[in-house]
Amino acid sequence: MSLRHALLGLLSERPASGYDLLKRFETSLANVWPATQSQMYGELSKLAAAGLISVSAEGPRGRKEYTLTDEGLAELRRWLTETEPQRNPRSDTLLRVFFLGVLTPEQASGYLAGLMDLSDRELEALRELERSIDWGDDQLSVYGRIALEYGLRFNEMKREWARWAVTQLRRRSDREPSPGS
């Protein structure tokens, strides 16, 4: 996924200013594709230069409202149907898990317990997001809820996995002879 396609997708719903897009991004996509304000404005300029969006209105203090062009909609559809989703094989979390053996069992368990806590916090943040959105029947609401459900279930899975991993370490520790035996 790219910021380019995220912005095209948001603009497929309705025209918006850069500020409006930033706010919509923060309440819908930031959990799956974080971006800064400067990245978004830079990408909007590139999209306009490529003819994928156009400036449909200009307001005070240089405020611009962007609209998706036919070419932009075609690009979004092409990306959705013809481009294989990127598989992100890198995980800082799992890389660390591979090397937890260099820590004491207590430290390793602490790390995994921290992952449970992180998942709990992420779940609560997603639940709070779910409660704060005025869901409608529009496309972004329907598919946004589906994406949010993925995030909820994924964090539930991560929490359960971390709980299972802590249990595995405890079982292993119970089987090992104590020092000096």
Side-chain angles (χ1 to χ4, degrees):
M1 181 180 156
S2 69
L3 179 56
R4 163 177 288 232
H5 295 102
L7 291 170
L8 291 174
L10 288 176
L11 287 170
S12 72
E13 190 70 23
R14 65 180 174 272
S17 68
Y19 177 80
D20 294 337
L21 287 167
L22 183 62
K23 292 301 165 197
R24 286 172 57 199
F25 205 93
E26 288 172 353
T27 60
S28 62
L29 295 175
N31 290 311
V32 295
W33 197 264
T36 65
Q37 181 179 354
S38 62
Q39 288 172 320
M40 287 185 67
Y41 280 101
E43 192 59 44
L44 287 170
S45 294
K46 291 176 189 174
L47 288 167
L52 300 177
I53 63 173
S54 64
V55 175
S56 54
E58 292 195 46
R61 297 186 305 267
R63 182 184 188 276
K64 296 177 184 176
E65 183 173 89
Y66 297 95
T67 301
L68 188 65
T69 63
D70 290 342
E71 293 82 6
L73 182 58
E75 169 56 20
L76 180 60
R77 288 178 174 155
R78 183 203 61 76
W79 175 74
L80 286 167
T81 60
E82 298 174 17
T83 305
E84 189 76 24
Q86 290 182 354
R87 189 172 166 263
N88 187 1
R90 294 181 182 179
S91 170
D92 181 62
T93 300
L94 290 179
L95 181 61
R96 291 169 190 250
V97 168
F98 269 99
F99 300 114
L100 288 179
V102 304
L103 301 177
T104 66
E106 294 79 21
Q107 289 172 318
S109 291
Y111 174 78
L112 294 167
L115 293 179
M116 280 190 287
D117 293 342
L118 177 62
S119 291
D120 284 338
R121 288 191 305 274
E122 289 175 353
L123 272 167
E124 185 50 40
L126 288 173
R127 288 182 181 129
E128 181 60 34
L129 178 64
E130 183 178 35
R131 289 188 291 270
S132 72
I133 295 174
D134 185 21
W135 297 101
D137 289 332
D138 58 285
Q139 299 284 5
L140 202 54
S141 287
V142 170
Y143 293 105
R145 287 187 99 165
I146 291 170
L148 180 63
E149 184 64 25
Y150 174 87
L152 290 166
R153 291 179 187 208
F154 185 69
N155 277 288
E156 288 276 358
M157 181 278 305
K158 288 192 309 186
R159 182 179 60 192
E160 291 306 311
W161 168 82
R163 182 176 291 129
W164 171 85
V166 167
T167 302
Q168 297 303 303
L169 292 180
R170 285 188 188 134
R171 285 182 183 158
R172 184 173 188 270
S173 149
D174 291 344
R175 288 191 312 258
E176 290 181 354
S178 58
S181 306

